[in-house]
């Protein structure tokens, strides 16, 4: 039996998983500060949610879904993305008020695997439901940008565009179909096949891009209201100090978008998978799923690609505040109790689980990059422990009361 994970999936272990943890924590922290509550929802949903929500003509629905019948004969799909299910959950909740929701977890798409293109990949994301003001778009785009700043991702470009509202999208689509039909003999088979199903996606074709000069663009069909919305979003981004570039060719691969769309691009990665996140407004999605009108905007960021873009410098072992050294085995239980109390007090503390020489314990403390070693020995009977500062080699005896040990360690060895 092979121990390798299935094709297109990864086991993420230390040291790589340390970076994952740092990145996931940074997102969770920032999303909470911006007022996004957590949503937890099923990793699989009924197939219809994605067929309707993501769109029948999209690559995701046509080629990439993990779909199967469960034992009760229901068609089930492993979630290829989050937004359709989050909207379903919001509709199911019956809530009439706006909700700001954040999530993190694995998504599944049957794609041709390569670096940064996985069959199971993680996304973190937010969805701002029930709000149609441009301020919501700005907040969401800004939050994504601040996240990349927080994790020090360099070479990031934020691209924005607008697709217009449903009426302007329909008018543009019709004009585009007629333009593409006129030049169909020059187009690749792929693009030709998309004319009727998903003409916007022809803009994504690398082969055909140069044949599209003069093609009708979404920007040319904007209603006054959509144009105003887009201007307000750009003004808001300027005020927020979020740098962006306008990319009139940015159309996104999922059907539910209206008005604002955006993508975060890591310019240091290969062009084929350098989108480290993307999102936009999807004011019609709730109705497409059979619900009421719920204007909304959100994004999803691809953690696998982000970690790739951060480079392969090894993330250091998380340093311990202290390592407890048992100098005398008879006092092991006391040492275990001390570790427990120090952890309760918020310190990162560890010890060896079984008897080892004092020298070996100090070595373990070094390996774990502990700032201090706390030696539990004879001095315990005098109400004290010895604390050794492992970078300076300096030893001090302090009262074995948890507060005094914690105080000593937190003050970096200066007497409290
Ligand atoms: P998406 O552009 O399909 O949008 O995916 C968002 C991000 O997920 C991509 O930019 C990429 O970083 C990552 N990603 C997608 N597929 C893969 C893959 N096979 N392997 C590794 N990473 C991948 C959405 O999913 C929308 N739900 C975004 C959204 C939220 N729109 C509104 N709200």
């Amino acid at each position: 039996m092979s121990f390798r994970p299935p094709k297109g999936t990864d086991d993420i272990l230390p040291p790589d998983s340390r970076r994952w943890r740092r990145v996931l924590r940074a997102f969770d922290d920032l999303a909470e500060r911006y007022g996004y509550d957590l949503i937890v929802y099923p990793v699989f949903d009924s197939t219809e949610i994605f067929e309707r929500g993501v769109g029948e003509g999209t690559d995701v629905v046509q080629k990439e879904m993990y779909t199967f019948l469960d034992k009760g004969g229901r068609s089930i799909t492993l979630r290829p993305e989050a937004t359709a299910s989050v909207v379903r959950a919001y509709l199911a909740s019956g809530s009439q008020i706006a909700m700001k929701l954040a999530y993190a977890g694995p998504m599944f798409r049957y794609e041709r695997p390569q670096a940064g293109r996985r069959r199971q990949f993680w996304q973190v994301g937010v969805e701002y439901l029930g709000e149609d003001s441009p301020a919501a778009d700005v907040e969401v785009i800004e939050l994504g940008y601040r996240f990349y700043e927080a994790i020090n991702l360099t070479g990031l470009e934020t691209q924005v565009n607008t697709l217009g509202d449903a009426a302007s999208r329909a008018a543009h689509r019709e004009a585009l179909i007629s333009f593409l039909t006129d030049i169909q003999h020059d187009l690749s088979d792929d693009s030709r096949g998309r004319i009727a199903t998903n003409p916007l996606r022809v803009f994504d074709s690398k082969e055909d891009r140069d044949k599209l000069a003069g093609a009708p663009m979404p920007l040319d069909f904007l209603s006054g209201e959509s144009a105003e919305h887009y201007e307000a979003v750009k003004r808001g981004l300027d005020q927020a100090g979020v740098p962006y570039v306008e990319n009139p060719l940015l159309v996104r691969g999922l059907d539910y978008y209206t008005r604002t769309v955006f993508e975060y691009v890591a310019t240091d990665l290969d062009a084929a998978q350098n989108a480290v996140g993307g999102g936009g407004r999807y004011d019609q999605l709730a109705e497409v799923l059979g619900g009421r009108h719920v204007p909304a905007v959100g994004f999803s960021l691809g953690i696998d690609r982000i970690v790739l873009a951060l480079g392969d410098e090894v993330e250091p072992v998380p340093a311990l505040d202290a390592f407890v050294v048992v100098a005398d085995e008879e006092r092991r239980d006391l040492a275990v109790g001390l570790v427990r109390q120090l952890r309760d007090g918020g310190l990162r503390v560890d010890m060896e689980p079984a008897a080892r020489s004092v020298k070996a314990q100090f070595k373990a403390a070094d390996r774990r990059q502990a700032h201090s070693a706390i030696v539990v020995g004879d001095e315990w009977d005098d109400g004290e422990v010895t604390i050794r500062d492992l970078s300076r080699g300096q030893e001090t005896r302090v009262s074995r009361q948890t507060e005094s040990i914690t105080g000593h360690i937190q003050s970096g060895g200066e007497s409290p």
Side-chain angles (χ1 to χ4, degrees), residues 26-344:
F27 179 77
D28 197 40
D29 180 48
L30 201 60
E32 191 172 29
R33 271 194 275 151
Y34 273 69
Y36 289 76
D37 258 318
L38 181 70
I39 176 168
V40 176
Y41 66 95
V43 162
F44 56 85
D45 221 318
S46 87
T47 302
E48 198 190 355
I49 292 292
F50 305 111
E51 284 174 348
R52 283 222 237 167
V54 175
E56 300 268 10
T58 60
D59 282 353
V60 168
V61 169
Q62 287 195 343
K63 305 183 199 156
E64 296 169 1
M65 297 211 298
Y66 280 91
T67 296
F68 56 95
L69 290 182
D70 73 5
K71 291 192 165 55
R74 304 171 193 88
S75 182
I76 294 292
T77 294
L78 300 186
R79 61 184 185 193
E81 65 102 48
T83 313
S85 302
V86 171
V87 171
R88 180 200 53 65
Y90 177 73
L91 292 170
S93 78
S95 174
Q96 300 292 319
I97 53 164
M99 260 194 211
K100 292 166 61 164
L101 301 172
Y103 50 83
M107 308 288 156
F108 308 87
R109 294 183 193 176
Y110 192 79
E111 296 209 64
R112 200 132 57 90
Q114 49 187 296
R117 192 174 293 282
R118 315 304 295 152
R119 288 183 174 170
Q120 174 177 305
F121 58 97
W122 271 59
Q123 284 184 345
V124 296
V126 298
E127 311 293 346
Y128 194 153
L129 301 153
E131 178 55 63
D132 67 0
S133 102
D137 311 35
V138 173
E139 177 178 287
V140 164
I141 298 173
E142 180 187 350
L143 169 53
Y145 176 77
R146 298 279 173 238
F147 164 70
Y148 293 111
E149 249 184 0
I151 58 168
N152 298 321
L153 187 103
T154 51
L156 184 83
E157 186 174 279
T158 305
Q159 302 185 351
V160 299
N161 190 24
T162 180
L163 301 178
D165 55 25
S168 42
R169 276 197 71 161
H172 170 250
R173 187 186 152 98
E174 207 173 295
L176 184 61
I177 289 179
S178 130
F179 174 89
L180 294 172
T181 309
D182 286 347
I183 61 162
Q184 62 176 310
H185 301 297
D186 297 334
L187 296 176
S188 63
D189 288 349
D190 250 7
S191 292
R192 210 172 306 125
R194 282 176 167 155
I195 296 178
T197 52
N198 204 351
L200 268 183
R201 293 298 283 171
V202 179
F203 284 117
D204 284 344
S205 158
K206 292 204 174 52
E207 270 178 277
D208 294 321
R209 195 164 264 195
D210 53 346
K211 297 170 197 147
L212 298 180
M217 303 303 283
L219 276 174
D220 306 329
F221 289 79
L222 290 192
S223 64
E225 212 184 322
S226 289
E228 235 169 72
H229 186 96
Y230 188 46
E231 289 308 314
V233 170
K234 289 190 287 179
R235 256 195 325 274
L237 290 175
D238 290 335
Q239 279 162 7
V242 174
Y244 59 88
V245 293
E246 287 184 69
N247 176 3
L249 289 177
L250 178 68
V251 294
R252 310 267 308 127
L254 314 170
D255 271 0
Y256 47 63
Y257 293 110
T258 47
R259 299 202 271 183
T260 316
V261 286
F262 55 94
E263 225 158 64
Y264 302 102
V265 174
T267 51
D268 298 340
L269 287 184
D270 259 12
Q273 52 279 333
N274 65 0
V276 286
R281 194 162 257 297
Y282 48 92
D283 294 339
Q284 258 71 52
L285 176 53
E287 284 154 285
V288 168
L289 295 179
R292 63 191 175 83
H293 178 66
V294 181
V297 57
F299 66 59
S300 311
L301 317 179
I303 298 299
D304 304 68
R305 281 187 198 178
I306 290 169
V307 168
L308 205 63
L310 286 173
D312 46 17
E313 198 180 305
V314 172
E315 197 99 351
V317 184
L320 290 177
D321 294 309
F323 198 87
V324 171
V325 170
V326 184
D328 160 12
E329 268 309 304
E330 288 193 352
R331 296 184 213 275
R332 169 161 296 275
D333 288 350
L334 297 169
V336 170
L338 179 64
V339 166
R340 190 172 294 125
Q341 281 170 8
L342 294 173
R343 285 174 176 163
D344 279 353

